[in-house]
Amino acid sequence: MITLYNYGPSQNGYKVRLLLAQLGREYRQIDIAIFDGESRTAVFLKKNPMGAVPVLELEDGTYLPESNAILNYLAEGTDFLSNDPLVRAQTLRWMFFEQEYVQSSIAALRHRMLTGKLAPDSPVTTERRALGERVLTALNNHLGSEDFLAGGRYSIADISVFAYAAFAEDAGYRLSDYPDFEAWTKRVRSQPKFLDDIIPYSVDPHSVRELG
């Protein structure tokens, strides 16, 4: 059986849990108390040298870190990842977009605001919020003519982007300002076996470290 090393409030971990639920695949979960330093131990660093969650342990003992890499691995041969070369490339395009832009704006801002690490009016908050507005505008424009991000159907591209972007209100955005994007979030939530188990933070903001 595969094993997921995870920290509950991490939306990167949520991506993997969501796909596993929709695949109906059994797995074992081991919670890593990242704010207590468990992801920085020598044992965990052998699983992921960057000390971040999630990490997937395969049946043969191989460790696979990075949430989008895990999604790609689990989706291979399923309806969540197309065999068409162009659609696969478009799927990867949105997953790269998520890592480069969603993570550095909405995800980072949400994490810091929920843990009390940034004040709403700080210069860093302003800079990240501006980038997030560009991100949400790009997504809104694309989804104005598409039901889903790649190939006209629900895929790991949608799972990847949804995990943080759909919770942009936690970072101070109004989803109603991006109606086509907001409609897409509802389509994602309506998918079979959708997993609605977002776990809130419960940490000392003075001990916050970065999530993976």
Side-chain angles (χ1 to χ4, degrees), residues 40-113:
R40 306 294 175 174
T41 65
V43 171
F44 189 82
L45 291 174
K46 290 181 179 179
K47 300 174 175 60
N48 181 3
M50 295 307 296
V53 294
V55 175
L56 188 69
E57 181 180 358
L58 309 184
E59 290 90 342
D60 65 0
T62 299
Y63 296 108
L64 180 62
E66 300 299 333
S67 58
N68 283 344
I70 296 170
L71 292 184
N72 192 75
Y73 173 80
L74 292 173
E76 188 67 49
T78 76
D79 291 340
F80 294 90
L81 181 60
S82 175
N83 288 324
D84 180 89
L86 181 57
V87 176
R88 286 176 73 99
Q90 292 286 10
T91 301
L92 290 173
R93 167 234 175 148
W94 286 108
M95 296 175 80
F96 296 154
F97 175 92
E98 190 269 342
Q99 287 289 288
E100 179 68 19
Y101 299 113
V102 176
Q103 290 277 344
S104 61
S105 60
I106 297 167
L109 185 58
R110 175 181 181 269
H111 167 60
R112 288 166 174 81
M113 291 183 69

Side-chain angles (χ1 to χ4, degrees), residues 140-212:
N140 190 68
N141 290 343
H142 179 73
L143 292 163
S145 59
E146 300 287 343
D147 285 342
F148 297 103
L149 289 173
R153 69 182 189 186
Y154 181 67
S155 73
I156 55 174
D158 300 286
I159 292 174
S160 176
V161 172
F162 178 88
Y164 279 108
F167 299 91
E169 289 183 338
D170 291 339
Y173 301 93
R174 290 196 306 265
L175 292 192
S176 58
D177 291 341
Y178 309 93
D180 292 318
F181 172 77
E182 185 176 32
W184 167 81
T185 66
K186 294 176 181 178
R187 287 194 292 274
V188 171
R189 286 190 170 94
S190 72
Q191 296 304 301
K193 299 181 181 178
F194 178 78
L195 184 66
D196 188 10
D197 72 341
I198 304 305
I199 301 170
Y201 287 99
S202 179
V203 300
D204 175 359
H206 299 295
S207 66
V208 171
R209 296 192 181 103
E210 299 304 311
L211 297 182

